[in-house]
Amino acid sequence: MEKKQHVLRSFEKFAATIAKTTGSSITFLMAFAMVVVWGICGPIFQYSVEWQLIITTGTNIVTFLMVFIIQQAQNKDTMALQMKLNELIAATKGASNRVINIEDMTEEELRVLKKFYIKLSDLSEQQGDLQASHSVAEAEKNEAFKEKENTVAEE
């Protein structure tokens, strides 16, 4: 198991280094220069099929590998960002802990939650203070109170 962890850590370091390096201006300029050199060599090789295959094969291989490197780096960054946001939510008094694992919700659950936060925004607007803070629990309590009042009024 320890060897597997070592391999995974090594890959993560490698992927982070590659993602950081390939995202630099120097790497872009090097790639651009290679394309220019390839283009200049076109007349020398009479624009042959082999000449075309060089750039096609090279770019296909690089693209194929970079998809996985970039996805791994993005997954790690997203997870780190989620953890930071979770820490802020957990440490903030009055914040709803229900949104800590929001990334695991279904799209439909997210739509329902979005509607709920729109209601919170509307509540702040009704009070004339758009900077006012309301929690999910407070909004639920207000909603339950309204429903109870409506039930009593209907009877």
Side-chain angles (χ1 to χ4, degrees):
M1 188 66 146
E2 192 172 307
K3 183 172 178 141
K4 181 180 178 184
Q5 289 296 325
H6 177 71
V7 169
L8 290 175
R9 279 198 194 140
S10 295
F11 176 74
E12 283 185 21
K13 286 180 183 178
F14 171 76
T17 302
I18 294 296
K20 195 175 287 187
T21 302
T22 57
S24 72
S25 301
I26 292 173
T27 305
F28 171 79
L29 292 173
M30 288 172 41
F32 184 76
M34 288 175 61
V35 171
V36 169
V37 168
W38 171 81
I40 291 170
C41 291
I44 297 168
F45 293 101
Q46 300 172 351
Y47 301 103
S48 66
V49 173
E50 290 81 10
W51 172 80
Q52 293 176 26
L53 281 175
I54 289 172
I55 196 76
T56 303
T57 304
T59 56
N60 283 341
I61 290 170
V62 169
T63 301
F64 177 76
L65 295 174
M66 286 306 296
V67 165
F68 299 103
I69 295 291
I70 292 169
Q71 188 62 51
Q72 192 279 336
Q74 185 177 3
N75 288 347
K76 184 178 177 186
D77 287 347
T78 300
M79 190 182 314
L81 182 61
Q82 288 298 327
M83 297 303 293
K84 289 176 183 180
L85 291 172
N86 290 349
E87 176 63 19
L88 290 173
I89 292 167
T92 304
K93 183 179 179 182
S96 174
N97 289 340
R98 294 179 189 154
V99 296
I100 285 182
N101 286 325
I102 197 168
E103 65 274 10
D104 296 329
M105 290 183 169
T106 66
E107 194 171 337
E108 183 58 34
E109 290 170 328
L110 289 173
R111 281 192 195 106
V112 170
L113 194 59
K114 181 179 178 183
K115 287 178 186 176
F116 199 78
Y117 279 103
I118 289 171
K119 286 183 183 179
L120 289 180
S121 174
D122 291 345
L123 181 61
S124 292
E125 190 174 340
Q126 288 171 3
Q127 292 179 347
D129 184 5
L130 294 178
Q131 300 299 319
S133 177
H134 299 284
S135 68
V136 174
E138 179 185 357
E140 283 180 338
K141 185 178 174 183
N142 291 340
E143 192 66 31
F145 179 76
K146 289 178 190 176
E147 286 180 16
K148 185 177 179 183
E149 279 188 342
N150 287 340
T151 304
V152 170
E154 288 175 2
E155 292 175 357

